[in-house]
Amino acid sequence: MLRILFAFCLTIVATTAQAELDIKQVTSPGGINAWVVEEPAIPFVALEIRIQGGGTLDLPGKRGATNLMAALLEEGSGDMTAQEFQTTLEDLAASFTFRAFDDSMQISARFLTENKEEVIALLRQALVAPRFDQDALDRVRAQVISGINSDAKSPNAIASSTFYAKAFGEHPYGSSIDGTIDSVTALTRDDMFEAHRNALVLDRLYVSVVGDTTAETVGAMLDDLLGDLPTEGPPLPDDVAFGLDGGITVVDFETPQSVAFFGQEGLERDDEDFFAAFVLNHILGAGGFESRLMTEVREKRGLTYGIGTSLVPKYHAEMILGSVASSNETIAEAIAVTRSEWERMARDGVTAQELEVAKTYLTGEYPLRFDGNADIASIMAGMQMIGLTPDYVVDRNSFVEAVTLEDVNRVAAELLQPDGLHFVVVGQPEGLESTQ
Amino acid sequence: MKRLFAALVMALSATASQAEEVTTYTLDNGMEVVVIEDNRAPVVVHMLWYKVGSADEPVGASGVAHFLEHLLFKATDVLESGEFSATVAANGGRDNAFTSYDYTAYFQRVAADRLELMMQMESNRMNNLRITAEDVETERQVVLEERNQRTENNPNALAREQFRAALFQNHRYGVPIIGWRHEMEELDLQDALGFYDLYYSPNNAILVVAGDVEPQEVLALAKQYYGVIPAEEQLPVRERPQEPPQRAERRITYVDARVSQPYLVRMYLAPERDPGAQREAAALVYLAELLGGSPFTSALGQALQFDTQTAIYTNASYNGQALDDGVFSFSIAPADGVSLSEAEAAMDEVVNAFLEAEIDPARMESIRTQLRASEIYALDDVQGLAQRYGAALSQSLTVADVQAWPDILQSVTAEDIKAVAAKVLNRDQSVTGWVVANQEEAR
């Protein structure tokens, strides 16, 4: 029987907007947990599934297997070839997304209420009975290899892949989830079945359902959909230290504008200082036009179209990352200004007024995110994956409000390392050379 | 990225019969007002669309429409430079703007009870901008870096610029929205102010407010803030140079060492959605789907990616959201070992075979169903609905045209598609572009 553990009407009270989100937590008869929001206004449903693991589960020598496997889930299953599967899906006017990320797999579906039974049966078939036909494997492999070749000539992709390789070496974080031309070329059907067996497992799976459905019916639906997946998968890899010291790495590439990808060690999502760091990062580089980096690098000096930073707490490592692009003649100045803002922030912290403005924005903006069934489903799946409970939706703004000036400035001094910041620059930057 | 610059803001929007709740007014000064009610969340999107875009720019000043868009975030008589966005942020909202060939739009997304403040600020910057020579110097660098980021650093964008310049022989759609670099470098305060003074006026604007609002309250606020701004008497009639009859196909090879995957593009001039006349455009939506929509079920995908391994990517697309001309195009990335000329010949063969064969009724029905469903999904995105109306109205369509479009799409027949295909797929009105890393690949 379906058990509804608890349901509560959450009112997110912000400075101005109040969003009401009635999240029901359910457990299916088969033991699958899900968060459900009933939203009958429009006759469709958004379903979001995340499974921890993703590309970190690639076996030695099989880099790119999880990514290729995910791309093949829509390429034939059960007794349907790729074309038969897609024809059926199109006739139902539904859409599926299957993607592998570094730490997770994402499975999303959007379907009309009237087609729910057929769509769930089709999605179940893709998830539990993929075919990995050789012709599909070869066709999609060629697409993946074309993408790898494109990345090799894209300044942005070169910058980030160089950065990650230097920071994480042999750990999966150190290489692209797409794999290399050699590793992808060598992948076989057996590798696909093995990657599938390892990545789609119940004990690391999180589900949310939003739209024209009821919590009472979700449990049975999920048992149908996912019940035949294996319970457990192989262990996840160990955590890895951020292994990149401060400095500059220049990668020569003939293009008019240099691209810089930069970062340093960060902090964990469940660190007690996370919210202080979150507010700090907002003021430094995440707050659009109002951020210090945007003000100094773009608005005052016209050195770039955009610069931004973000906290990136991954499952096995934590970083603060940023990027900026500027002409070959001016990138050195853009980097110098960025580094000096990093220093100023570490040394002087933020002002009381900056903190107040940041809090007002962050708390006011939060409820605006919950618009649209797919957005809400995605947020809720992400919350579950990092161990949050539904009441976080209500409490989150109070965590932001609780950050004090002392917190932010202590964290600025402790966390930001102007000398630990490493820039990978792709282009032909004037006046910049690699430091090591 | 902030201040995005949108070549195709709206993908082909589809259909719906249940429809959003829309109320419209026209203020005494000529400004149009569209209100879309959606009370699911206490949020509002406030958008102001000016019926002016890059295709309305004076000769020699390409990029000024987009440049001015950036400058609108500088000081006014009552707002300091940057204060507009800072105020939106301080109210927990987000703001942005975008420029296309036919329109320039500004929008904020905020809690519904902040609508009045948005109107107050947006109406203020319609007439009271106080930009300085220094603003112009710095912001010109920013837009040049934007061009670097979007175009100069991207061989595909550079190639596309060349192809469009060749497709349009007389129309300003052949000039990039962001501008040609040499003209952007010369843009000055007078260019920006001249454009601003002429085009930023209530009789050239459409207000779209979507979300948790009451239409009568929106109208009262619109009257209070926008209704008091006098109409621009000198506003020119919107007549832009049109295409002459095109008599010869054009072929271009764009060579750039940064290209990793050779590919080819064929663009044709095509009819756009016109007021009271959207049938051909609707048929072209089907034609694009049938020829190159889904790689699994379209003619090009099946023939070149499944029946043979000629291509790793195939696509057909149609953009009929334009004031003047639409564009219908194909793109093919050949498989390893297949030359561009072989891929192009294979593409033409598929298209010719399609024109001669019967259209599969099952495929027609499937596309019809998907278009109907996309209209239901569209209701989940209130900002998307706001964009749909803003873009259409700034491109001469009416609210009635927007609302008729889903039913017109549903009524398209195989005969309509055959007729429009015969008309549009005419090589004399086309550009074929090859994109390669070196001359050896151009074979």
Side-chain angles (χ1 to χ4, degrees), chain A residues 124-176:
Chain A
R124 176 191 177 280
Q125 179 187 294
L127 296 180
V128 306
R131 288 159 59 120
F132 302 122
D133 289 335
Q134 189 66 44
D135 63 333
L137 172 61
D138 291 339
R139 186 176 56 252
V140 178
R141 186 204 322 264
Q143 292 164 351
V144 170
I145 287 175
S146 175
I148 295 171
N149 283 327
S150 293
D151 283 350
K153 285 191 173 187
S154 151
N156 290 307
I158 296 169
S160 58
S161 65
T162 305
F163 185 95
Y164 291 131
K166 285 176 159 288
F168 298 114
E170 294 302 309
H171 189 277
Y173 288 172
S175 60
S176 166

Side-chain angles (χ1 to χ4, degrees), chain A residues 62-273:
Chain A
K62 306 288 185 191
R63 191 59 172 152
T66 307
N67 176 66
L68 185 57
M69 178 275 294
L72 283 167
L73 293 178
E74 63 169 11
E75 294 266 349
S77 46
D79 59 2
M80 294 180 184
T81 64
Q83 287 172 297
E84 288 163 352
F85 181 86
Q86 291 290 335
T87 302
T88 309
L89 184 60
E90 288 174 21
D91 290 348
L92 292 167
S95 64
F96 295 159
T97 304
F98 305 104
R99 284 192 67 183
F101 295 96
D102 277 357
D103 283 322
S104 65
M105 272 201 57
Q106 175 197 8
I107 297 154
S108 312
R110 186 180 67 171
F111 53 89
L112 301 180
T113 317
E114 65 190 59
N115 293 334
K116 176 179 153 187
E117 303 295 324
E118 295 96 316
V119 171
I120 292 297
L122 194 65
L123 183 59
R124 176 191 177 280
Q125 179 187 294
L127 296 180
V128 306
R131 288 159 59 120
F132 302 122
D133 289 335
Q134 189 66 44
D135 63 333
L137 172 61
D138 291 339
R139 186 176 56 252
V140 178
R141 186 204 322 264
Q143 292 164 351
V144 170
I145 287 175
S146 175
I148 295 171
N149 283 327
S150 293
D151 283 350
K153 285 191 173 187
S154 151
N156 290 307
I158 296 169
S160 58
S161 65
T162 305
F163 185 95
Y164 291 131
K166 285 176 159 288
F168 298 114
E170 294 302 309
H171 189 277
Y173 288 172
S175 60
S176 166
I177 190 171
D178 291 345
T180 65
I181 291 177
D182 285 347
S183 72
V184 173
T185 302
L187 292 172
T188 65
R189 289 188 72 209
D190 285 346
D191 294 330
M192 295 299 97
F193 284 109
E194 187 164 26
H196 174 256
R197 164 65 189 81
N198 290 342
L200 277 78
V201 297
L202 286 173
D203 70 350
R204 293 200 278 255
L205 178 144
Y206 304 91
V207 186
S208 57
V209 185
V210 180
D212 184 20
T213 185
T214 59
E216 287 71 24
T217 58
V218 162
M221 178 184 91
L222 293 179
D223 282 348
D224 279 351
L225 180 65
L226 304 166
D228 287 340
L229 289 177
T231 310
E232 299 178 339
L236 300 176
D238 293 332
D239 288 354
V240 58
F242 181 79
L244 189 51
D245 295 331
I248 288 177
T249 301
V250 175
V251 181
D252 183 72
F253 187 78
E254 199 176 334
T255 201
Q257 187 187 55
S258 289
V259 172
F261 189 88
F262 56 91
Q264 62 151 74
E265 193 170 14
L267 82 181
E268 291 183 18
R269 179 62 182 75
D270 54 7
D271 192 294
E272 59 182 14
D273 285 329

Side-chain angles (χ1 to χ4, degrees), chain A residues 16 18 90 153 255 305 368, chain B residues 2-3 109 114 257-258:
Chain A
T16 51
Q18 295 192 11
E90 288 174 21
K153 285 191 173 187
T255 201
Y305 175 52
L368 303 191
Chain B
K2 278 252 189 180
R3 273 159 219 176
R109 201 167 158 272
R114 296 302 152 112
R258 297 170 296 177

